[in-house]
Amino acid sequence: MHVVATAGHVDHGKSTLVRALTGMEPDRLAEERRRGLTIELGYAWTTLPSGERLAFVDVPGHERFLGTMLAGVGPAPAVMFVVAADEGWMPQSEEHLVALEALGVRHALLAVTRADLADPEPVIGRARARMAASGLGAAEARAVSGRTGQGLGELREALDRLVAALPVPGPEAPVRLWIDRVFSVRGSGTVVTGTLPEGTIAVGDELSLPAGPVRVRGLQCLNEPLTSVTGVARVAVNLRGHGVPERGQALVTPGGWTCADLVDVRLSPVGAARDGTGLPPRLTAHIGSAAVVCEVRPLGGPIVRLRLARALPLHLGDVLLLRDPGRDRSEVRVLAGASVLDVRPPALRRRGAARERADRLAAARPDAGSLLRDHPLLRAGDLLAMGCVPTGRPVCGDWHADPAYWSELGERLAEAVRRHAAEHPLEPGMPVEAARHALGLPDRRLVAALVRPPFAVADGRIVSGPADLPAPVARAVGRLRAELSAHPFRAPEAGRLAELGLGPRELAAAVRAGVLLRVADGIVLPPGAQARAAELLARLPQPFTVSQARQALDTSRRVAVPLLELLDRGGLTERVDEVHRRCRPQPPGGV
Ligand SMILES: Nc1nc2c(ncn2[C@@H]2O[C@H](COP(=O)(O)OP(=O)(O)OP(=O)(O)O)[C@@H](O)[C@H]2O)c(=O)[nH]1
Ligand SMILES: [Mg+2]
């Protein structure tokens, strides 16, 4: 089915035309019929010549009910714009047109009605010119009469063409049903109605309201009970859950939207505001059936920040209509459309931060690539809740990153690992957690995903080796060095080396690469072990025996003997006699 809202000046014949097209009464209230005035939104439906079903949301034209008009038009994808042939273009014609322009409505049909009272042609010309100038485009026009039925056949065919040209909404899209009516049915509880623009609601679904989760007990579409309904549709949803919903709230897919009370937007001023200077500091923002007071903070150029009095479920690319409720009634009060650029904007504390923000958002678009340039690291669920389908592959798990930011992070990580190695030469490598902290990342897995040769992750540390060291060897060496961190001189036994996959060839490569020190055949220690050993041995009473050295180094004879020989060769120690050695004084600056 399709949904079309009406629009047009008060008393121009919108409800009469809907009645004539559908045979249903859109003005449900006794007061409306008594006064001949639409106050609330009206609903009526018909079948078009093509067989397509079309529901109308009939809006009031009176200036006092502009908020209600916006609630009706907001979620509808197309509009039937009504102008009376005998009265012509009037102030609320203009105001409604400006509102449609601000909302970005692009699909409209012009019905010049009451054609039985005056020649419709001049009015058609004027109205089409206004609509074309406002960005609504070249709308098809029909002269009709809701009273005599003149032109209704052609109007129905034109409505068929209008709805056939509408984009097909996605059945899988997250649900956001802006509530336009709430009532209770004895024995069934609360029922809300609204225009479902896209997505699917099924009986049994769990959805969210501001007050909490609710479950769908029953569904109706054009008075028929259904088990599931896909947008576009007029729906009545019977809910089970806590709290009583209100018009202006939205029934949404949990996690499908970002509930935001602070948004950065790009303004498109409309109507008289187009040449105006700046906006008042307090306005009313309309979206769907919601109307929320907001404070306006200009950031620079067309970019402004809105603080909404109440959080709304929003996506990037949503359009809020801004109007000034306090202005003189005679003026057109709709001021601008505000296209949402960010629903999680950063705080602006520094001087000049607002201007920088405006520059940054100047070219922003509502897609994942653009969003990631602004929020460089987001989970897939966050992207979707902000209204952007992730494109490209995640960098790890469900994390998506801006490519430029990701490669910069890689460089920062390498730098941090090198600095860590320089500052902690005896540690086997930088702990992954320390790297996560240094880079300010939210998830350790991101650090692991950033590690590239010559670095590798082993036992919770980032170990380094030259690029030509094969990754499995680098990992094994990293693990070995991690094991050595508590007892740096307890070189692993042959069995452990074999378990780690470090045979003679792998050990030789690691030694060549400088990531291990060869003490003797099959005995390896971390690089820098000589200096560390000399330091510990220098604390012993001089001269010392192999046994004393073994204890000081907390190792076995198997390691101590060849290590001392290595130190002798390196000039760090020297023999005094058959059983004693001593440390050789070292030049200042160390070895
Ligand atoms: N002669 C004639 N009168 C019409 C026609 N359409 C509407 N009217 C009359 O115009 C008056 C207003 O009609 P409505 O249909 O209530 O107008 P509306 O646009 O719905 O008004 P609001 O909802 O209050 O903005 C009523 O008295 C109708 O009888 C028409 O085609 N011909
Ligand atoms: Mg009416």
Side-chain angles (χ1 to χ4, degrees), residues 14-16 27 37-38 58-61:
K14 298 179 288 299
S15 301
T16 304
D27 286 336
L37 182 81
T38 301
D58 183 38
V59 308

Side-chain angles (χ1 to χ4, degrees), residues 313-329:
L314 295 173
H315 274 171
L316 265 61
D318 273 340
V319 176
L320 301 162
L321 177 147
L322 300 183
R323 73 177 177 118
D324 184 354
R327 298 263 293 275
D328 183 342
R329 284 252 183 106

Side-chain angles (χ1 to χ4, degrees), residues 128 417 463:
R128 287 194 77 188
V417 173
V463 296

Side-chain angles (χ1 to χ4, degrees), residues 342-411:
D342 195 0
V343 287
R344 279 165 49 174
L348 302 173
R349 295 203 186 87
R350 280 180 306 101
R351 266 175 81 85
R355 184 73 240 182
E356 269 171 38
R357 181 84 189 133
D359 291 345
R360 196 184 178 96
L361 290 179
R365 281 172 289 114
D367 61 39
S370 181
L371 178 58
L372 284 168
R373 275 192 286 283
D374 199 24
H375 297 267
L377 203 53
L378 290 171
R379 305 190 93 124
D382 294 323
L383 275 159
L384 289 170
M386 293 165 94
C388 299
V389 177
T391 49
R393 287 159 55 87
V395 290
C396 89
D398 60 349
W399 287 100
H400 289 260
D402 174 54
Y405 174 75
W406 189 247
S407 71
E408 182 207 310
L409 270 184
E411 284 163 28

